[in-house]
Amino acid sequence: MMKKNNVTKALALILGASAVLSGCGGRADASGSQGNAGEVYVYNWGEYIDEEVISMFEEETGIKVIYDMFETNEDMYPVIEAGGRTYDAVCPSDYMIQKMVENNMLAELNFDNIPNVSQIDPLYMERSKSFDPDNQYSVPYCWGTVGILYNTAMVAPEDVPTRWSDLWDEAFNGEILMQDSVRDAFMVALKSLGYSMNSENEAELTQAKDLLIRQKPLVQAYVIDQVRDKMIGGEAAVGVIYSGEMLYIQEEVEAQGLEYDLEYVIPEEGTNVWIDSWVIPANAKNKENAEAWINFLCRPEIAKMNFEYITYATPNKGAFDLLDEDLRNNKALFPDIESLDNCEVFQYLGDEVDSIYNDLWKEVKSN
């Protein structure tokens, strides 16, 4: 998925990347003086960086940034695996990083070249150990939760959702937006059943599948980026959404003078706490430049710029301290991660279990 959905900004990034490509005659060595320091090939989610940050990095280091975008982890992985086009810095999510580590696709980071990693809150480095056990391969970039967004004008006070199981309430018939994503959809069902969202138990997964099939008549649509805009437009009462959308949503509700609020709930059964992190592929041709890139993004003022553009929570404690008090206290954006009960990070479960999930998801969608 694209982390945000703004075509104008996405086009600006694409045009910027094209301009860089036209100015580069091929890969250069990472060594060289200012203005001739080589290149760094970056592969990131759509709209997951402030364009100005790219220009600032190039101006300061002399390193040309060739920037490409992907929409999902599953789109990114085969590109890196095939190696037909090599990248130096990539930003996957937690479970995909684990898969890449297990398949020897990542290079160990030289943290001597990334001193600004000290700005990452140790809490997120510790969380990262669930997919990068020794913190050898990744540096956290953004994090967040998945929860339920509801429209205060369309949901009666007694029907306000507090649990994932509320998404099976007949009161929301035709008013539910679910994520069109196998792991996210199964997370909702598994958590509502009291199971781990990383379950490998086929009986539990079958129960979750049956539950999702039972929910289908209540679901208005399975979507990804459209949850945010449909909810702002009053097209649905409740939707499963990423917490990073909340700042944009809150700003739009105010800017449009809407007569309703959109509130975010982390369900009581627990949820996915996700982390997207920078990694360097094992076949990277400009590793030191990639480490310079990661180090630059870890600067508090740069991380703050990216937070203000992306609106997804930053794990950078220096950047967090630079934010206005109202943002720091916005619990939809920055919940107290240590107090989140029953929350998990997605893990890579192996190709065999992935196939089970995918087959069961096909049954849900086709039923």
Side-chain angles (χ1 to χ4, degrees):
M1 71 165 194
M2 292 184 73
K3 290 294 182 177
K4 294 170 71 179
N5 186 22
N6 182 308
V7 174
T8 302
K9 289 179 180 177
L11 284 174
L13 274 176
I14 293 168
L15 291 172
S18 298
V20 171
L21 281 167
S22 66
C24 297
R27 296 187 183 277
D29 291 334
S31 60
S33 59
Q34 182 78 1
N36 186 30
E39 304 163 336
V40 62
Y41 283 66
V42 177
Y43 203 24
N44 195 9
W45 299 87
E47 296 193 80
Y48 219 31
I49 197 167
D50 186 332
E51 302 100 307
E52 188 177 350
V53 166
I54 298 174
S55 299
M56 291 170 66
F57 174 79
E58 290 181 322
E59 182 176 353
E60 178 174 314
T61 65
I63 298 169
K64 289 283 189 181
V65 178
I66 294 84
Y67 194 95
D68 289 337
M69 295 176 286
F70 58 86
E71 188 171 356
T72 70
N73 285 294
E74 287 69 27
D75 291 336
M76 174 278 302
Y77 182 87
V79 173
I80 302 302
E81 183 181 38
R85 179 168 176 79
T86 57
Y87 289 95
D88 304 309
V90 185
C91 189
S93 301
D94 31 54
Y95 70 97
M96 194 58 73
I97 293 172
Q98 180 186 354
K99 181 176 181 178
M100 296 170 85
V101 169
E102 290 182 9
N103 287 294
N104 300 312
M105 292 171 60
L106 299 181
E108 288 190 26
L109 300 177
N110 180 356
F111 285 98
D112 289 342
N113 294 331
I114 314 175
N116 290 331
V117 72
S118 63
Q119 294 295 328
I120 303 299
D121 192 318
L123 178 62
Y124 302 101
M125 297 300 289
E126 186 63 30
R127 283 267 175 175
S128 296
K129 289 182 178 179
S130 66
F131 56 89
D132 180 7
D134 297 314
N135 292 136
Q136 293 175 290
Y137 299 99
S138 63
V139 174
Y141 181 56
C142 291
W143 73 279
T145 59
V146 178
I148 301 172
L149 187 69
Y150 71 92
N151 184 317
T152 58
M154 299 175 71
V155 176
E158 63 271 18
D159 293 328
V160 169
T162 60
R163 302 178 59 83
W164 288 122
S165 57
D166 292 333
L167 296 182
W168 279 259
D169 190 331
E170 291 287 344
F172 300 135
N173 187 10
E175 297 290 348
I176 298 171
L177 299 174
M178 284 286 287
Q179 285 287 320
D180 191 10
S181 160
V182 55
R183 291 298 297 270
D184 286 324
F186 270 82
M187 181 273 291
V188 172
L190 287 165
K191 282 294 189 183
S192 72
L193 291 165
Y195 300 140
S196 168
M197 68 185 198
N198 292 307
S199 175
E200 300 179 44
N201 183 303
E202 193 162 358
E204 293 178 356
L205 297 179
T206 299
Q207 287 182 56
K209 175 210 70 175
D210 292 341
L211 196 61
L212 289 169
I213 290 173
R214 285 214 307 273
Q215 184 201 34
K216 280 190 74 175
L218 308 179
V219 174
Q220 181 186 118
Y222 294 94
V223 288
I224 300 179
D225 302 319
Q226 301 96 321
V227 174
R228 181 189 72 183
D229 296 327
K230 282 180 173 289
M231 292 295 294
I232 292 172
E235 296 179 39
V238 295
V240 178
I241 200 165
Y242 289 83
S243 60
E245 302 286 5
M246 284 310 301
L247 182 58
Y248 176 86
I249 288 169
Q250 291 164 349
E251 290 173 347
E252 281 299 298
V253 167
E254 182 176 354
Q256 295 184 27
L258 300 179
E259 296 181 358
Y260 48 81
D261 287 323
L262 297 172
E263 299 290 344
Y264 181 79
V265 174
I266 297 175
E268 295 172 6
E269 301 103 324
T271 190
N272 171 24
V273 176
W274 56 265
I275 300 175
D276 292 343
S277 301
W278 287 103
V279 300
I280 298 178
N283 63 351
K285 293 181 168 59
N286 303 287
K287 184 172 184 286
E288 289 188 5
N289 285 358
E291 288 164 345
W293 168 261
I294 296 170
N295 190 56
F296 187 80
L297 296 180
C298 287
R299 282 190 199 170
E301 66 275 15
I302 299 300
K304 178 176 180 286
M305 286 179 64
N306 278 329
F307 164 76
E308 291 171 344
Y309 180 87
I310 304 167
T311 71
Y312 278 60
T314 175
N316 190 298
K317 56 182 171 53
F320 180 83
D321 291 342
L322 294 174
L323 299 178
D324 293 339
E325 185 177 359
D326 60 335
L327 283 175
R328 295 198 305 269
N329 293 329
N330 188 325
K331 293 306 180 184
L333 290 174
F334 294 105
D336 183 358
I337 193 171
E338 292 179 300
S339 67
L340 294 178
D341 293 329
N342 304 316
C343 291
E344 301 173 77
V345 173
F346 273 134
Q347 294 181 347
Y348 168 58
L349 304 175
D351 291 342
E352 184 176 342
V353 177
D354 276 356
S355 293
I356 295 173
Y357 271 88
N358 291 331
D359 290 343
L360 293 173
W361 180 235
K362 288 175 184 176
E363 289 189 48
V364 173
K365 296 298 290 292
S366 64
N367 190 280

